[in-house]
Amino acid sequence: MTMIIPEELKNFEVKFDAPLSDYTFTKVGGQADILAFPKTVDEVAQLIKLANKSETPLTVLGNASNLIVKDSGIRGMVILLEKLDKVNYAGYSLEAQAGAKLIDVSRIALEHSLSGLEFACGIPGSIGGAVYMNAGAYDGEISHVLASCKVIDMEGNIKVLSKEDMRFGYRQSAVQNEKLIVLSAKFDLKAGDPSLIKADMDKFTELRESKQPLEYPSCGSVFKRPAGYFAGQLIQEAGCQGHRIGGVEVSTKHAGFMVNVDQGTASDYIALIDWVIEQVKAKSGVTLEPEVRIIGD
């Protein structure tokens, strides 16, 4: 494996041998050989082309919320888009860069009396990650409000995809299938009464805080919802709540979550995911499919 040399990165914000556990929501994950923090779309393109030229393996992340990075880390360069976070407002539209937090964008919509993103007020991911997986909650999802999406491919070419181009499905999009990287997303929203928008957001926030184990590090909802079922209910009925492997536990507050209660590792998470899948399959005959991304060497 060849690598970018440090001199080639002097104009970028980078860290070497950076522990990814410092950035993931689960607080697990080994080191990235190179961790880069681009601040502009042009810097993203430059880093991709530099990685290709030097044959350095490349991984791009939003804000590392709905994923598990393996304990051995990630070789090559990891681009973290958290500093690509500008949000622009025009009429009934918001355009947010990939690193902007979905929660923050929903609040900006409220500030401008725009309705459509209320469902997202408690989803702790980035815009890029939300578009990538068509994130949703409380009967809303990204596909309902997205108008277009600016993406970059692994050669550094930028293009704009329409909502139809995105081919959204349940927790799926063309971005996943075509290995594209979200740079920004434009949302078409509707004028609304700010008091009603806020009331819905307050309701969703209260539901989230009362039902989800926000006091512990986690990757959010671990499994996709099986057709005709609820993953959390199946896990609860299989008697998995409270089961712990290493420092990671199936939440006693919400069975669909796995929480890092005592210095857990990625290996703990992966083992617990596999164990829950086995238990649910034995109890109900349903095979759960992880929603969380598991990456790394």
Side-chain angles (χ1 to χ4, degrees):
M1 179 179 70
T2 57
M3 288 286 288
I4 299 171
I5 59 175
E7 178 66 19
E8 295 173 311
L9 295 166
K10 63 181 180 181
N11 295 323
F12 300 93
E13 182 179 341
V14 296
K15 294 182 180 181
F16 297 95
D17 298 323
L20 290 167
S21 57
D22 289 346
Y23 301 93
T24 60
F25 277 45
T26 55
K27 300 303 178 187
V28 303
Q31 293 182 334
D33 294 331
I34 303 168
L35 182 60
F37 301 87
K39 301 180 183 69
T40 66
V41 168
D42 186 56
E43 284 192 0
V44 176
Q46 289 180 53
L47 287 167
I48 290 173
K49 291 175 181 177
L50 188 56
N52 287 339
K53 180 181 177 181
S54 62
E55 299 181 351
T56 299
L58 177 64
T59 304
V60 182
L61 304 177
N63 71 345
S65 57
N66 192 231
L67 59 82
I68 296 167
V69 176
K70 293 180 180 179
D71 299 318
S72 52
I74 302 177
R75 303 286 66 78
M77 180 166 66
V78 175
I79 296 177
L80 198 61
L81 297 176
E82 62 177 25
K83 297 195 175 182
L84 203 70
D85 61 356
K86 292 183 175 61
V87 181
N88 295 316
Y89 157 74
Y92 296 140
S93 295
L94 286 180
E95 184 165 10
Q97 290 186 314
K101 294 180 175 62
L102 190 54
I103 292 173
D104 292 344
V105 176
S106 72
R107 291 171 180 162
I108 292 171
L110 168 61
E111 290 171 6
H112 293 287
S113 302
L114 295 176
S115 177
L117 282 171
E118 292 90 331
F119 75 91
C121 67
I123 300 175
S126 65
I127 289 295
V131 171
Y132 176 92
M133 65 177 296
N134 190 20
Y138 306 116
D139 297 322
E141 60 185 28
I142 290 296
S143 65
H144 296 168
V145 290
L146 185 122
S148 61
C149 178
K150 183 180 291 185
V151 300
I152 187 168
D153 64 23
M154 298 307 286
E155 282 72 50
N157 303 306
I158 297 172
K159 61 181 177 179
V160 175
L161 301 180
S162 68
K163 178 178 179 176
E164 290 71 28
D165 293 332
M166 290 297 291
R167 299 194 302 278
F168 283 119
Y170 176 66
R171 302 297 177 260
Q172 289 186 337
S173 73
V175 175
Q176 297 175 32
N177 302 330
E178 298 177 21
K179 296 183 179 179
L180 301 171
I181 300 159
V182 176
L183 294 173
S184 64
K186 184 177 181 181
F187 301 102
D188 279 348
L189 306 173
K190 298 178 181 179
D193 183 330
S195 63
L196 297 179
I197 295 170
K198 186 176 185 302
D200 279 343
M201 292 173 68
D202 288 346
K203 177 181 68 176
F204 295 150
T205 298
E206 183 180 356
L207 284 170
R208 179 172 176 264
E209 290 177 348
S210 66
K211 293 184 177 180
Q212 297 181 13
L214 305 180
E215 63 272 27
Y216 293 109
S218 82
C219 54
S221 181
V222 176
F223 298 101
K224 295 179 181 179
R225 186 176 64 197
Y229 299 92
F230 293 98
Q233 183 178 355
L234 292 173
I235 295 166
Q236 186 175 8
E237 291 173 351
C240 298
Q241 277 186 288
H243 186 81
R244 185 186 298 191
I245 293 180
V248 180
E249 178 179 286
V250 179
S251 172
T252 56
K253 191 173 185 179
H254 190 310
F257 285 67
M258 293 180 182
V259 289
N260 188 346
V261 295
D262 186 16
Q263 299 180 22
T265 65
S267 297
D268 295 340
Y269 264 103
I270 294 167
L272 191 57
I273 288 170
D274 291 341
W275 182 85
V276 167
I277 290 172
E278 291 176 3
Q279 300 305 307
V280 170
K281 177 70 172 178
K283 174 70 175 180
S284 66
V286 177
T287 301
L288 293 178
E289 182 181 351
E291 179 174 296
V292 61
R293 292 172 62 201
I294 301 173
I295 62 174
D297 295 299

